């Protein structure tokens, strides 16, 4: 039979030898984890946001999904009653609507009694972050990442990418990213266990009802169904592969159909999400929208922000002298290798080949709608739209790191964590 390089999943490959880790690096790791956990738990309190805001201050919380969840239980697709100062809302036929994907609002319905009392979205986001940590752990183990690489890779994702600043700031836009990652990782665990292609499809489709861009990761899931991951990467027969892909697509179709019905119920068109109807208050974004909601004209700016934008001088480039801390993040975003230098290891990922090219395929495909979109994610730290494909970047980085973690790899992850702690503080002050 035709065989390819095996994907070491589900414990069928030889387990990596656990390399010894010096007491110094153990202490460094524990210290970094403590910093990240402290940031996640105490950050909202220190920033003044807290976990609970009095009910009378809903208008200060930017929790769009609270209003949608409250109306959904009444059979109402509007967000009538949302404060007028909330951005990213639109009026249509005398009602207010959200262009944002509805899944986070649906998930908030069980939390409505607590949200009515003032619970913040940041608290809900932290619950999903705990789930995400467990899910990423499962995915990393399934692809053969073990021991030292495993724990440092987890630290990289949750502390060394823009996920950290997203998790400590409770806004609807950020909660959408967190929920999207939850269902993307759930889908990945299902597809890596190829017994469940239908479940993988449903979960990927649900991720798309939070942020539709992740649906473009579909080629990764198709590629993972091409091989018997529990039989040394043996390629499956064409008929079996077609059946698997059919189940995957059937699963994706269900949530996508529900999303289409949701759009039709609001705007009379299954493809109209409402984004093109939003009245933008920021003149820069309004001018960008004039070039098209999606346009090739937006590619240069998005690529610049995603890859090349660095920190800015403080207090400004026209200041006669710089002042402490001398640099500040750009609120329009910063390049992913500035915010997460450890992701440079994606370029060293070689084996297993089938998994590597599938991850790269997902990154490129998800990137396409993002870089043609008119907005770049203002206000943010780093390029937060990249979170839609960051799980695949972290898988690549984990595969690219040496099994016996080098001092350089640990230092790059440590640097990534400290940069994102800095960015989290910046973002908390911005909101």
């Amino acid at each position: 039979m035709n065989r390819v390089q095996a994907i070491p999943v589900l414990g069928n490959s030889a387990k990596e030898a656990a390399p010894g880790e010096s007491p110094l690096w153990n202490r460094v790791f524990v210290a970094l984890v403590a910093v990240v956990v402290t940031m996640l738990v105490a950050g909202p309190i220190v920033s003044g946001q807290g976990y609970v805001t009095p009910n009378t201050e809903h208008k200060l919380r930017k929790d769009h999904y609270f209003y949608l969840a409250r109306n959904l239980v009444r059979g109402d697709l509007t967000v009538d009653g949302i404060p007028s100062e909330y951005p990213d809302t639109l009026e249509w036929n005398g009602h207010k609507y959200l262009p944002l994907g509805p899944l986070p609002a649906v998930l908030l319905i069980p939390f409505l009694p607590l949200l009515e009392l003032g619970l913040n979205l940041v608290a809900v986001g932290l619950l999903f972050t705990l789930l995400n940590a467990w899910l990423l752990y499962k995915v990393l183990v399934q692809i053969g990442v073990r021991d030292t690489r495993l724990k440092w890779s987890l630290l990289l994702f949750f502390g060394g990418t823009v996920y950290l600043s997203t998790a400590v700031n409770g806004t609807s836009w950020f909660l959408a990213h967190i929920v999207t990652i939850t269902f993307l990782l759930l889908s990945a665990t299902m597809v890596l266990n190829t017994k469940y292609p239908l479940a993988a499809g449903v979960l990927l489709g649900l991720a798309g009802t939070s942020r539709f861009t992740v649906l473009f990761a579909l080629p990764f899931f198709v590629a993972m169904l091409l091989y018997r991951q529990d039989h040394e990467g043996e390629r499956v027969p064409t008929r079996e592969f077609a059946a698997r892909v059919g189940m995957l697509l059937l699963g994706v179709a269900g949530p996508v159909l529900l999303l289409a019905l949701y759009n039709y119920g609001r705007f009379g068109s299954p493809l109209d999400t409402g984004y093109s109807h939003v009245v933008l208050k920021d003149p820069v974004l309004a001018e960008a929208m004039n070039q098209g909601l999606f346009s090739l004209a937006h590619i240069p700016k998005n690529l610049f922000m995603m890859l090349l934008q660095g920190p800015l001088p403080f207090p400004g480039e026209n200041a006669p002298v710089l002042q402490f801390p001398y640099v500040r993040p750009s609120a329009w975003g910063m390049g992913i290798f500035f915010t997460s230098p450890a992701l440079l290891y994606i370029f060293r990922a070689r084996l297993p080949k089938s998994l590597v090219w599938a991850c790269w395929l997902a990154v490129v495909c998800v990137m396409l709608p993002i870089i043609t979109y008119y907005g770049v994610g203002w206000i943010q730290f780093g390029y937060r739209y990249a979170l839609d494909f960051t799980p695949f970047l972290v898988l690549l980085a984990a595969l690219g790191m040496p099994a016996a973690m080098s001092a350089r790899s640990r230092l790059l992850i440590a640097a990534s964590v400290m940069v994102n702690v800095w960015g989290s503080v910046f973002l908390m002050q911005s909101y």
Side-chain angles (χ1 to χ4, degrees), residues 17 20 40 47 130 168-169 178 218 279 293 296 333 345 367 395 416:
L40 289 169
S47 70
L130 289 174
V168 298
N169 288 277
I178 293 171
L218 182 63
V279 177
L293 185 66
L296 297 178
Y345 274 102
M367 191 184 296
L395 296 187
S416 300

Side-chain angles (χ1 to χ4, degrees), residues 18 52 68 98 104 139 165 167 182-183 205 213 218 237 276 304 327-328 335 382:
V52 177
L68 181 56
L98 291 184
V139 171
S165 57
T182 301
F183 283 85
T213 46
L218 182 63
S276 60
F304 179 84
V327 293
R328 63 176 175 85

Side-chain angles (χ1 to χ4, degrees), residues 58-59 61-64 67 82-89:
H58 271 303
K59 64 180 182 179
R61 289 165 38 186
K62 297 296 185 292
D63 49 1
H64 304 67
Y67 294 94
I82 196 170
S84 59
E85 62 267 30
Y86 270 39
D88 272 359
T89 61

Side-chain angles (χ1 to χ4, degrees), residues 30-54:
V30 170
L32 291 171
V33 170
V35 169
V36 171
V37 171
T38 301
M39 199 75 210
L40 289 169
V41 174
I45 299 173
V46 173
S47 70
Q49 179 182 14
Y51 294 106
V52 177
T53 305

Side-chain angles (χ1 to χ4, degrees), residues 84 111 132 153 166 213 247 259 273 296 298 425:
S84 59
F111 296 95
N132 290 345
S153 296
T166 299
T213 46
M247 295 296 286
L259 181 62
T273 63
L296 297 178
H298 301 311
V425 173

